[in-house]
């Protein structure tokens, strides 16, 4: 079986911090005997085609190098809020859709797997319908929170109703999607991303404050500002805590 992953974020090289869980997923599928390829946006200095641990990665262009800023630099949602990013969005969607159609015709996948309903799920609808290839759409979180907006819900419902399978990565996201779109709970399944399990984990006994670690892209939709507010409240109430915040992004200075 051939699976073509469509995503707006994917590691640009070994050890890249951008969506490493998708490379883990592709590796896990290869180990099960599937043939796997990935279509993702290009970024300056990155080859158009590459092999990452046996996974073929194809990058689509949507602008000259210096204008390709929508992915990998704070996330698509954050970058699209800028005037230049807003102007690039239609070009990005068109390039993604056309590239997905061309690659699907050439590589002939048995399944299209789109990560995040927007943009990948939306851009996968046309290739899926034209070529008759089943579409799986996995929602990872930021795309679920877009459903608070009425017009966005209309588009999301249209995309997800054309999917053979709608997946989310947690029960909480499942509840939010079903509530926002009025879908049958049985039609939205929880498919977690693969992680390396720690054998027999045990709590660490230590003196001093409880140590917390938060890691991720420092952008508005990740909610690290809420975490910092919660830390302040907890400390004011006498909790002995220490937080290490790890990441980079547009909210880093703030």
């Amino acid at each position: 079986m051939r699976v073509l992953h469509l995503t707006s974020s994917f590691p640009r090289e070994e050890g890249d911090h951008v969506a490493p869980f998708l490379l883990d997923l592709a590796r896990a599928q290869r180990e099960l005997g599937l043939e796997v390829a990935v279509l993702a946006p290009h970024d300056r200095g990155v080859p158009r085609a590459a092999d990452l641990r046996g996974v073929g990665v194809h990058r689509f262009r949507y602008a000259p190098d210096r204008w390709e800023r929508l992915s990998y630099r704070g996330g698509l949602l954050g970058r699209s809020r800028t005037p230049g990013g807003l102007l690039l969005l239609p070009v990005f969607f068109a390039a993604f859709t056309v590239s997905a159609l061309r690659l699907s015709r050439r590589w002939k996948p048995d399944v299209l797997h789109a990560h995040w309903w927007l943009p990948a799920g939306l851009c996968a609808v046309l290739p899926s319908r034209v070529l008759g290839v089943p579409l799986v759409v996995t929602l990872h979180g930021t795309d679920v929170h877009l459903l608070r907006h009425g017009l966005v819900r209309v588009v999301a419902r249209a995309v997800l109703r054309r999917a053979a399978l709608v997946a989310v990565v947690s029960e909480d996201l499942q509840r939010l999607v079903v509530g926002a779109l009025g879908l049958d709970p049985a039609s939205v399944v929880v498919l977690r991303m693969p992680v390396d399990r720690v054998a027999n984990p045990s709590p660490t006994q230590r003196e001093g404050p409880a140590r917390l670690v938060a890691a991720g892209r420092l952008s508005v939709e990740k909610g690290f500002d809420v975490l910092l507010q919660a830390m302040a409240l907890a400390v004011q109430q006498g909790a002995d805590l220490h937080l290490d915040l790890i990441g980079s992004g547009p909210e880093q200075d703030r």
Side-chain angles (χ1 to χ4, degrees):
M1 176 180 286
R2 287 187 160 191
V3 180
L4 175 58
H5 293 278
L6 307 174
T7 174
S8 55
S9 294
F10 197 78
R12 292 160 291 184
E13 59 189 2
E14 290 287 349
D16 193 1
H17 68 283
V18 176
F21 52 90
L22 294 184
L23 182 55
D24 291 341
L25 172 62
R27 281 187 66 202
Q29 290 178 331
R30 283 195 70 251
E31 291 170 359
L32 291 173
L34 304 182
E35 293 184 63
V36 182
V38 176
L39 178 64
H42 181 260
D43 192 28
R44 63 174 176 262
V46 177
R48 291 287 303 276
D51 184 280
L52 289 181
R53 305 190 215 168
V55 177
V57 183
H58 306 265
R59 309 275 181 182
F60 67 87
R61 300 297 303 262
Y62 59 95
D65 269 9
R66 64 196 181 100
W67 291 106
E68 288 186 329
R69 301 173 180 173
L70 288 180
S71 294
Y72 311 111
R73 289 173 178 79
L76 183 69
L77 294 179
R79 298 300 300 181
S80 64
R81 295 188 181 101
T82 65
L86 192 59
L87 290 174
L88 271 178
L89 268 182
V91 182
F92 181 94
F93 283 111
F96 201 166
T97 301
V98 170
S99 298
L101 183 58
R102 287 176 176 171
L103 182 57
S104 296
R105 279 178 168 155
R106 185 171 75 247
W107 197 63
K108 298 185 180 351
D110 298 294
V111 176
L112 294 175
H113 190 165
H115 297 274
W116 296 279
W117 76 264
L118 187 73
L122 178 61
C123 295
V125 168
L126 180 64
S128 173
R129 290 174 68 87
V130 168
L131 302 177
V133 180
L135 172 62
V136 174
V137 180
T138 294
L139 290 78
H140 291 272
T142 51
D143 52 345
V144 174
H145 293 289
L146 289 174
L147 302 179
R148 291 173 292 183
H149 308 287
L151 180 59
V152 174
R153 285 199 299 273
V154 173
V155 179
R157 191 178 292 112
V159 169
L160 298 181
R161 283 180 173 172
R162 287 168 171 78
L165 178 68
V166 177
V168 291
V169 296
S170 72
E171 284 81 2
D172 189 53
L173 290 180
Q174 182 187 45
R175 176 182 59 80
L176 291 172
V177 171
V178 168
L181 299 181
L183 301 178
D184 179 0
S187 69
V188 181
V189 302
V190 177
L191 294 179
R192 307 184 198 285
M193 293 292 101
V195 296
D196 293 329
R197 294 181 177 272
V198 178
N200 302 318
S202 58
T204 301
Q205 301 298 325
R206 63 160 64 231
E207 297 181 357
R211 298 187 65 91
L212 311 177
V213 175
R217 188 175 68 247
L218 303 182
S219 56
V220 173
E221 63 269 17
K222 296 297 185 180
F224 286 115
D225 57 329
V226 178
L227 171 62
L228 295 178
Q229 292 167 13
M231 282 289 296
L233 289 173
V235 171
Q236 288 172 10
Q237 295 175 14
D240 191 9
L241 301 173
H242 178 89
L243 170 67
D244 288 298
L245 183 57
I246 303 169
S248 62
E251 291 289 285
Q252 183 167 339
D253 290 341
R254 191 168 77 88

